[in-house]
Amino acid sequence: AQRVTQPEKLLSVFKGAPVELKCNYSYSGSPELFWYVQYSRQRLQLLLRHISRESIKGFTADLNKGETSFHLKKPFAQEEDSAMYYCALIAQGAQKLVFGQGTRLTINP
Amino acid sequence: DTAVSQTPKYLVTQMGNDKSIKCEQNLGHDTMYWYKQDSKKFLKIMFSYNNKELIINETVPNRFSPKSPDKAHLNLHINSLELGDSAVYFCASSRQERNTIYFGEGSWLTVV
């Protein structure tokens, strides 16, 4: 069974500081990994997916198969980045998105 | 131009009642889902339908019955509501051959 672990339930950093939200997964095949963001009382939105290798809103994430990680990073946090962040995985051939527990990121002014 | 829309957004109801949440997507996607986000913000899939056929049912009590009249709609009917059903329910959809899932705004269900 696939599992996604986000070890930090809460993360608080100051504006302008670097941010790293951790995500580890367990899956024996080749997963497809995503980061979703949920701003206060809004829908979940796709932030980025590993196959596109793009940077969205200054965030990047690199899939590290050796460490089975897909950490989300941003060099300089902004107040508008405060939100709930979910790491998610889809197994090969599957259509079920498995979510981590989520990390609530708070950017302090 | 809302992609995935669900109604109602907020629903407060008494225990034992039966209620429905409707979902529609205008993205032309083949697959639709219901996810539940509990009070601890855990997100878990409940159901998935592909072209009106049920493909995922994640051990959800049979008080929950999804209905897909066509591939653009997936409604969730809940019988005999219980306090523990209080949560945010998210509808979502995706194209079959691509894995990006698009979510609705959520329906906040409170059972009192």
Side-chain angles (χ1 to χ4, degrees):
Chain A
Q2 306 91 43
R3 177 176 283 183
V4 178
T5 303
Q6 293 177 248
E8 302 141 329
K9 196 171 177 178
L10 301 168
L11 183 62
S12 184
V13 301
F14 285 102
K15 180 180 169 182
V19 173
E20 183 179 49
L21 290 89
K22 292 185 166 47
C23 172
N24 290 90
Y25 66 90
S26 61
Y27 174 56
S28 55
S30 292
E32 190 164 349
L33 285 149
F34 306 79
W35 276 98
Y36 278 82
V37 60
Q38 185 181 26
Y39 299 103
S40 180
R41 300 186 78 79
Q42 293 186 27
R43 75 180 74 210
L44 280 94
Q45 304 170 39
L46 178 67
L47 184 61
L48 52 82
R49 52 193 297 191
H50 88 271
I51 61 169
S52 62
R53 301 186 65 81
E54 55 187 342
S55 171
I56 306 291
K57 300 185 179 183
F59 285 97
T60 58
D62 289 317
L63 177 59
N64 186 323
K65 290 186 178 180
E67 295 182 359
T68 59
S69 68
F70 188 56
H71 303 327
L72 183 68
K73 300 177 184 179
K74 184 168 181 176
F76 307 104
Q78 298 172 296
E79 286 186 65
E80 55 265 32
D81 296 329
S82 294
M84 195 78 181
Y85 290 80
Y86 290 94
C87 183
L89 172 156
I90 289 183
Q92 270 178 309
Q95 289 181 304
K96 181 173 75 172
L97 194 61
V98 176
F99 285 93
Q101 303 93 316
T103 298
R104 180 173 295 284
L105 175 65
T106 302
I107 308 301
N108 300 308
Chain B
D1 63 343
T2 304
V4 182
S5 59
Q6 50 185 113
T7 55
K9 187 164 184 176
Y10 300 101
L11 181 58
V12 180
T13 188
Q14 289 186 323
M15 273 196 308
N17 284 350
D18 302 338
K19 290 293 177 187
S20 292
I21 307 172
K22 295 184 177 181
C23 179
E24 176 182 5
Q25 53 94 6
N26 62 6
L27 296 166
H29 288 168
D30 303 303
T31 307
M32 294 186 73
Y33 312 80
W34 277 106
Y35 277 82
K36 179 180 179 180
Q37 184 180 44
D38 64 21
S39 58
K40 295 181 180 177
K41 300 293 187 182
F42 292 153
L43 265 166
K44 192 169 179 188
I45 191 167
M46 300 173 68
F47 300 103
S48 170
Y49 269 71
N50 183 274
N51 281 319
K52 303 193 300 176
E53 289 190 23
L54 179 67
I55 56 173
I56 294 174
N57 181 341
E58 287 284 308
T59 342
V60 178
N62 57 16
R63 296 183 296 104
F64 290 79
S65 52
K67 287 185 171 51
S68 182
D70 55 63
K71 73 174 193 176
H73 295 84
L74 181 62
N75 304 323
L76 183 65
H77 188 76
I78 316 170
N79 288 329
S80 303
L81 278 155
E82 299 177 357
L83 292 176
D85 297 332
S86 296
V88 184
Y89 292 86
F90 285 97
C91 179
S93 70
S94 68
R95 197 180 298 279
Q96 190 163 358
E97 66 274 16
R98 298 183 65 182
N99 286 334
T100 301
I101 295 179
Y102 296 86
F103 286 83
E105 291 188 322
S107 294
W108 271 256
L109 172 65
T110 302
V111 182
V112 297

